[in-house]
Amino acid sequence: MTGRRRARVETEHGNAETAQAVAAALTPDNTASMETTVDGPAVVTTIERDSTGGLQSTVDDYVVNLQVAVQLLPTDGDASTETTQI
């Protein structure tokens, strides 16, 4: 099968400042096939890959990185190590 596969992952983070912090934490791990932007309180990441398996792997890695970024965001001034569901 030919053509590129694309996924769009959009997550809400309450406000633009928090979304900016999440995006800043995620962007260094992005590959050339990924683009992360902020739209108000949302972080939007688009991923394009040549294969379905490659897309699935990249999305899986991104979601793990997202969970870590959200988990480490200070909610009361201190970084948290408690598990956060997204």
Side-chain angles (χ1 to χ4, degrees), residues 1-7 47-55:
M1 189 172 230
T2 61
R4 304 221 2 122
R5 278 73 168 157
R6 183 179 311 171
I47 303 165
E48 285 192 28
R49 295 293 304 267
D50 291 327
S51 70
T52 302
L55 180 63

Side-chain angles (χ1 to χ4, degrees), residues 1 31 35 39 48 63 72 76:
M1 189 172 230
T31 67
E35 180 182 0
D39 183 11
E48 285 192 28
V63 170
L72 295 176
D76 59 358

Side-chain angles (χ1 to χ4, degrees), residues 4-73:
R4 304 221 2 122
R5 278 73 168 157
R6 183 179 311 171
R8 176 185 160 110
V9 180
E10 182 172 338
T11 54
E12 296 282 331
H13 299 279
N15 58 59
E17 182 179 296
T18 302
Q20 287 284 352
V22 170
L26 291 169
T27 301
D29 290 323
N30 282 2
T31 67
S33 65
M34 302 169 72
E35 180 182 0
T36 298
T37 59
V38 175
D39 183 11
V43 174
V44 180
T45 299
T46 303
I47 303 165
E48 285 192 28
R49 295 293 304 267
D50 291 327
S51 70
T52 302
L55 180 63
Q56 180 179 358
S57 287
T58 304
V59 170
D60 287 347
D61 290 346
Y62 173 81
V63 170
V64 169
N65 292 340
L66 177 62
Q67 288 174 319
V68 171
V70 169
Q71 185 176 339
L72 295 176
L73 280 176

